[in-house]
Amino acid sequence: QVQVEESGGGLVQAGESLRLSCVASGRTFSNYAMAWFRQAPGSEREFVSALHWSGTTPYYADSVKGRFTISRDNAKKTAYLQMDSLKHEDTAVYFCAVSKPLLGPYFSNMHRSRRTYDYWGRGTQVTVSS
């Protein structure tokens, strides 16, 4: 099985930056996607960003476009989420998610769905003071 672990959360002021990391361990195949979701208190878990194995086409929620950057290092089985210009409304528990092998065309349509991902981390808290 695949285990997923996030790190890098913390408390920052609005306008500052954080960089989250996500490591997938265990037996993994190639062509898997990695993604970030977040969940604020009283809210549903929402899509933030995703990137397929190829790393050619990043996907972002509208709320984070221009501020967040997703990347991955397949050799390290690690995904990153660089979060700049953080806002108070970015406060949430951030979850990393990993899929089983997927084809790009499928992923282009389904990257926002939680059902696309089979393995989830426990989350890392990001708190942005206003």
Side-chain angles (χ1 to χ4, degrees):
Q1 296 294 322
V2 176
Q3 293 181 329
V4 181
E5 184 174 4
E6 312 93 338
S7 63
L11 173 63
V12 298
Q13 294 183 342
E16 295 182 342
S17 299
L18 281 174
R19 185 177 187 246
L20 305 183
S21 297
C22 171
V23 178
S25 60
R27 293 187 176 182
T28 59
F29 297 96
S30 61
N31 297 310
Y32 61 89
M34 302 185 75
W36 293 94
F37 289 74
R38 67 187 182 186
Q39 187 168 17
S43 301
E44 296 292 323
R45 189 171 300 187
E46 66 176 359
F47 170 78
V48 176
S49 186
L51 191 63
H52 203 6
W53 172 266
S54 66
T56 56
T57 305
Y59 299 93
Y60 299 99
D62 289 341
S63 59
V64 306
K65 286 182 179 178
R67 299 187 299 117
F68 291 9
T69 303
I70 189 172
S71 62
R72 62 188 291 168
D73 184 335
N74 290 339
K76 297 180 179 179
K77 298 181 179 180
T78 301
Y80 306 94
L81 186 67
Q82 177 67 41
M83 304 184 294
D84 297 323
S85 301
L86 282 163
K87 303 176 180 179
H88 178 66
E89 50 263 44
D90 294 318
T91 296
V93 176
Y94 283 70
F95 297 89
C96 181
V98 178
S99 76
K100 292 181 179 178
L102 297 171
L103 295 177
Y106 173 85
F107 189 65
S108 67
N109 291 318
M110 300 300 296
H111 59 270
R112 294 179 178 269
S113 175
R114 294 189 294 270
R115 298 177 182 178
T116 296
Y117 307 95
D118 301 277
Y119 311 103
W120 293 80
R122 294 182 178 181
T124 184
Q125 177 71 48
V126 173
T127 302
V128 184
S129 63
S130 60

